[in-house]
Every structure is written in structure tokens, then in C-alpha cells.
Amino acid sequence: AFGATVVVKDLEFGDNETFVLVGAGDENYDEGKILITSPLAQGLVGKKIGEKVEIDVPAGTMKFKVLEIRYEE
């Protein structure tokens, strides 16, 4: 959900990535801050820790396993 930090494992490359779901004007892709309305964020919304997800993005299909979901105070 909005403001959540989601840590995922990229199942294709094996590395971990951290995304923060933010609103318009706060996005910064170099810092992993992605728009809540983006295809990537929408694919992560509602997922649970341990769940595997495939997300269709313009560059192809991304495959992740959700490792952690946290909300900053």
C-alpha cells in the first residue's frame, strides 16, 4: 500500500531489490521510490511475504519473491 517499503528477490538475477511505493512527485527511481500507480507497484500491492509474483512491465515480465513488507513511521 501507499508508503510501504517492499523488499523482493529478483528470481531471474537472484539479487534483492527494495522499492518504496510513493505518490506523484515523490518518485525517484535511482532511490527505488516508485509511483504507486506504476505497473510494478500495482503488481506488488496486496501481496504477502513469501509470495511469488510475475509483473508485466514495458521491458518484459519481472519475477519476484516478496521477502519483506514494512511501513515507515
Side-chain angles (χ1 to χ4, degrees):
F2 187 80
T5 298
V6 183
V7 181
V8 297
K9 180 181 181 94
D10 186 317
L11 296 176
E12 188 173 349
F13 298 105
D15 52 348
N16 291 357
E17 296 188 45
T18 301
F19 300 110
V20 182
L21 309 186
V22 299
D26 292 326
E27 67 271 21
N28 183 326
Y29 295 96
D30 292 335
E31 295 178 10
K33 295 178 180 179
I34 61 173
L35 274 175
I36 188 75
T37 54
S38 70
L40 178 56
Q42 288 298 299
L44 295 172
V45 169
K47 300 299 183 258
K48 297 177 176 60
I49 293 172
E51 197 169 343
K52 291 182 180 172
V53 59
E54 292 188 12
I55 303 169
D56 292 321
V57 294
T61 301
M62 303 178 85
K63 297 177 183 176
F64 297 119
K65 180 176 181 181
V66 179
L67 301 179
E68 182 182 349
I69 301 169
R70 64 180 185 268
Y71 295 90
E72 305 301 328
E73 293 298 319

